[in-house]
Amino acid sequence: MWIFSKSGVGGPKRVKSGNAILSSYGTTIFEVMSRLAQEHDAVNLGQGFPDGNGPPDVVAAATDYLEHGLNQYPSMMGMPVLREAVAHNNKRFYGLDVEWRTEVMVTSGATEALAACLFGLIEPGDEVVLIEPLYDSYLPIVQRAGGVAKLVRLEPPDWALPVQALADAFSDRTKLILLNTPMNPCAKIFRRDELEIIAGLLQKHDALAVCDEVYEHLIFDGLPHVPLMTLPAMRDRCVRIGSAGKTFSLTGWKVGYITAPSHLLTPIARAHQFLTFTTPPNLQAAVAYGLAKDDSYFNNLAGDLQYLRDYLGDGLRDLGFEVLPCDGTYFITTDFRPLGFNGDDVEFCRHITTEAGVAAVPVSAFYQSGEVKYFARFCFCKEEASLSKALDRLRAHFRS
Ligand code: PMP
Ligand code: GLN
């Protein structure tokens, strides 16, 4: 790939440019919408991050560790105290027996965990099954790792798993499926019967699963989170990814963790050692402290978010949006056609950001192509006052 540089003597000069796969993606929708929100002083219900400052005791622990000497490179695999806490919570929440020394690794956020898994597991030419709507980092990294993506689509309003299309996407060249449950942006939780279908395909084709479970504790209405790893015969085929950013409402910390059988964690660690190698030690130790909190913390986290989901959902419904069911995550998906807006989701999200002062994310950004063009994703992990302000602004705009 070539570009023309304006710098230097003697006019434009031909210089080599960046990697074609990554360059072809442009800037992610989250960054684009957050910049636009800032420019227009909009209430940002686009990119998924909480308003607040996280649990004060977890933040205080991080401050304390920073001041009292946890400031040098920790081990590449992560600090033992955090790896033990992750292993312990695998048992506590899902009944999984995990050996922390060989089966847990700390990463710089789930994003880096995903990259380490994909670079560590994929050989050029391997097929990788991906389910749309897709979180933004999946496809570029699969492609950069040399994988061949096989896309399967879930569609609104029910986001049902197309069982035949899924089976057709698998072949004996399939290396792995990337599964996100609870799923961003559609707030779907994969039910046990759906997971059983996936487990059957993994066995049939001798394939692996990388399970992005960053929203594992953000599930509503008493529904259970079922890691694919807990199903029969799945313990050795699955990699589970968690994120302290979500579990402690501290998205900027970028602390993630991987649980995997040692034969998979070893190649993943080989990739991780050349990506970030390690993660700030005070944050690791503070997350270990947080993971040891009692059940009331995890229940209240989900309960508080459920309240905010209902608050925003009721308000949007009252404005005329069709609000789709939301079983987990930070996000509500809406069909805005009943409002009579003349344009697609990208135009709608830009319009409400610049004209109403409320940012959202177009759901088409999570697809490679196709007809899902009239859905907007709103983030509800905000103070009630921010949601109320957003609803007031939308009301004033659409009712004027
Ligand atoms: N996976 C999904 C589905 C996400 O929504 C996000 C971000 N919110 C991530 C991974 C990345 O998590 P982290 O911030 O820990 O890198
Ligand atoms: N996961 C967040 C979202 O879906 C964004 C994270 C990011 O910006 N990379 O909005």
Side-chain angles (χ1 to χ4, degrees):
M1 204 182 184
W2 296 86
I3 56 167
F4 288 91
S5 163
K6 287 196 188 119
S7 61
V9 188
K13 194 167 118 204
R14 229 168 147 234
V15 291
K16 285 182 177 158
S17 72
N19 173 263
I21 292 172
L22 296 178
S23 302
S24 73
Y25 281 95
T27 304
T28 87
I29 191 67
F30 307 122
E31 180 74 14
V32 168
M33 292 314 299
S34 282
R35 279 187 209 163
L36 196 66
Q38 248 172 6
E39 275 165 37
H40 292 271
D41 199 19
V43 181
N44 189 355
L45 306 187
Q47 192 178 23
F49 60 90
D51 268 350
N53 200 32
D57 55 341
V58 177
V59 175
T63 312
D64 205 42
Y65 288 127
L66 192 66
E67 283 177 354
H68 294 98
L70 285 187
N71 292 300
Q72 307 305 337
Y73 289 143
S75 141
M76 184 273 282
M77 293 299 287
M79 289 169 67
V81 67
L82 177 53
R83 293 159 72 203
E84 283 179 77
V86 171
H88 180 80
N89 278 6
N90 270 296
K91 179 73 173 174
R92 169 182 170 192
F93 290 110
Y94 312 116
L96 287 165
D97 287 305
V98 171
E99 164 48 59
W100 69 267
R101 287 179 193 80
T102 53
E103 298 190 312
V104 178
M105 183 172 76
V106 178
T107 59
S108 292
T111 310
E112 196 253 317
L114 284 158
C117 289
L118 298 171
F119 285 130
L121 297 175
I122 293 173
E123 294 281 5
D126 281 347
E127 292 183 2
V128 177
V129 178
L130 299 172
I131 304 180
E132 292 185 295
L134 276 183
Y135 184 61
D136 68 343
S137 75
Y138 296 174
L139 188 57
I141 303 294
V142 165
Q143 292 176 332
R144 192 67 185 90
V148 178
K150 297 285 164 182
L151 299 176
V152 177
R153 292 171 73 87
L154 306 187
E155 303 247 357
D158 58 359
W159 311 107
L161 186 66
V163 175
Q164 191 54 52
L166 181 70
D168 293 345
F170 274 82
S171 79
D172 289 342
R173 291 180 300 282
T174 304
K175 180 59 150 297
L176 60 92
I177 184 170
L178 215 170
L179 181 70
N180 177 213
T181 183
M183 189 172 180
N184 178 8
C186 58
K188 173 191 171 79
I189 293 177
F190 281 76
R191 298 184 315 262
R192 184 176 286 277
D193 58 316
E194 294 174 315
L195 296 175
E196 280 166 356
I197 292 168
I198 295 170
L201 290 166
L202 296 185
Q203 283 184 285
K204 181 172 174 199
H205 296 285
D206 188 20
L208 308 172
V210 172
C211 302
D212 177 346
E213 300 179 14
V214 298
Y215 299 104
E216 63 187 321
H217 294 297
L218 313 186
I219 298 198
F220 313 127
D221 307 312
L223 291 166
H225 171 59
V226 183
L228 183 62
M229 189 183 258
T230 62
L231 267 65
M234 288 298 106
R235 179 67 173 80
D236 276 351
R237 291 190 183 276
C238 292
V239 174
R240 238 171 66 67
I241 296 174
S243 168
K246 313 294 184 228
T247 297
F248 299 104
S249 311
L250 291 164
T251 57
W253 279 23
K254 301 297 284 188
V255 178
Y257 21 87
I258 299 176
T259 304
S262 62
H263 67 276
L264 298 180
L265 195 61
T266 301
I268 294 168
R270 297 285 186 267
H272 166 74
Q273 67 186 345
F274 300 130
L275 288 171
T276 59
F277 184 81
T278 194
T279 300
N282 68 312
L283 301 183
Q284 292 196 44
V287 169
Y289 162 85
L291 287 177
K293 280 172 168 291
D294 63 24
D295 289 355
S296 64
Y297 169 77
F298 296 90
N299 294 335
N300 291 342
L301 174 71
D304 292 350
L305 274 172
Q306 180 174 321
Y307 172 82
L308 295 168
R309 172 201 67 175
D310 293 341
Y311 183 83
L312 182 65
D314 290 348
L316 292 172
R317 205 173 288 110
D318 183 55
L319 274 162
F321 287 87
E322 189 191 325
V323 176
L324 274 52
C326 167
D327 291 336
T329 75
Y330 282 157
F331 310 112
I332 281 182
T333 301
T334 59
D335 183 343
F336 56 81
R337 280 173 292 193
L339 294 171
F341 179 79
N342 189 15
D344 67 15
D345 60 349
V346 174
E347 289 159 333
F348 180 80
C349 290
R350 288 193 73 86
H351 175 83
I352 61 172
T353 307
T354 59
E355 307 305 316
V358 179
V361 164
V363 172
S364 62
F366 297 78
Y367 287 89
Q368 290 311 293
S369 61
E371 295 309 308
V372 180
K373 288 195 176 137
Y374 304 104
F375 294 84
R377 188 196 83 171
F378 290 90
C379 173
F380 55 80
C381 59
K382 303 288 173 183
E383 306 285 350
E384 187 173 334
S386 306
L387 299 180
S388 166
K389 188 169 167 186
L391 288 168
D392 285 347
R393 288 183 174 188
L394 289 170
R395 206 170 288 117
H397 181 73
F398 285 107
R399 296 210 171 142
S400 64

